[in-house]
Amino acid sequence: MATVGGLENEAAKRKERLKALRKKKQGDVEEPDDLEPPTKKAAVAEDDEEARKPVFKNYTPENENLKENRVPKPELASIDDHIQEQLQAAKPEPVVEEVDLVNLAPRKPDWDLKRDVASKLEKLERRTQRAIAELIRERIQSGEDSGDLLSAMNAATQASSQPVDSDED
């Protein structure tokens, strides 16, 4: 560790250097040689030459000597192809090419009720046909008028061949 005396010496040197910088800034050019060691002065002189070379990125100097310090413009990569690929990938493909007008037409308000009742109506239609067949058999067995029997048979066959009218309209 540095001793207290060593720290005081360093603080005094620092104060002298600050005073010299203030004087230099104000216009008084008195540089005492004993403030900085000669090796440091030589290193600072070399750095000053290198640090003072300007580098031009966006400015084109008129002086020929300074044009050597100009940084060449970087070549930008072409992104047009990449952008076109992105745009092609982003376009949505049509899901349905042709529009089916039947699917677009609004349904009647009671379509869901008819759908729910359709299976029950099928069962009921079968039971009705069985009941008609039983009635016809009973009439045949009872020996009623043959004219009535013939008309009942025709009615039963017509009922089974023709669909039952419903309120779908």
Side-chain angles (χ1 to χ4, degrees), residues 1 4 9 15 27 47 51 55 62 65 69 72 74 81 89 96 98-99 118 124-125 130 147:
M1 286 186 98
V4 176
N9 289 338
K15 285 181 185 179
D47 288 342
V55 178
E62 293 179 11
N65 296 335
N69 296 337
D81 297 333
V96 178
E98 293 183 18
V99 177
L124 186 59
E125 183 65 30
R130 285 185 196 147

Side-chain angles (χ1 to χ4, degrees), residues 62-132:
E62 293 179 11
N63 189 346
E64 294 295 326
N65 296 335
L66 295 177
K67 284 185 180 180
E68 296 173 1
N69 296 337
R70 188 161 194 274
V71 177
K73 292 183 180 179
E75 293 183 21
L76 300 176
S78 176
I79 59 170
D80 292 338
D81 297 333
H82 183 68
I83 291 173
Q84 291 299 329
E85 289 174 7
Q86 292 282 337
L87 289 175
Q88 292 297 330
K91 285 184 180 176
E93 295 181 15
V95 177
V96 178
E97 292 181 6
E98 293 183 18
V99 177
D100 188 14
L101 295 177
V102 174
N103 291 337
L104 289 178
R107 296 184 178 185
K108 294 183 181 179
D110 60 347
W111 70 272
D112 57 334
L113 298 173
K114 289 181 182 179
R115 181 198 62 209
D116 295 341
V117 174
S119 61
K120 295 177 183 177
L121 282 177
E122 288 175 8
K123 291 180 186 177
L124 186 59
E125 183 65 30
R126 282 183 263 155
R127 285 185 182 176
T128 305
Q129 291 298 328
R130 285 185 196 147
I132 290 173

Side-chain angles (χ1 to χ4, degrees), residues 113-161:
L113 298 173
K114 289 181 182 179
R115 181 198 62 209
D116 295 341
V117 174
S119 61
K120 295 177 183 177
L121 282 177
E122 288 175 8
K123 291 180 186 177
L124 186 59
E125 183 65 30
R126 282 183 263 155
R127 285 185 182 176
T128 305
Q129 291 298 328
R130 285 185 196 147
I132 290 173
E134 284 183 29
L135 287 174
I136 292 173
R137 286 186 198 123
E138 287 176 6
R139 284 189 184 174
I140 291 174
Q141 288 176 357
S142 66
E144 291 182 2
D145 187 18
S146 64
D148 263 346
L149 183 60
L150 186 58
S151 64
M153 294 279 288
N154 287 339
T157 57
Q158 286 179 354
S160 64
S161 65

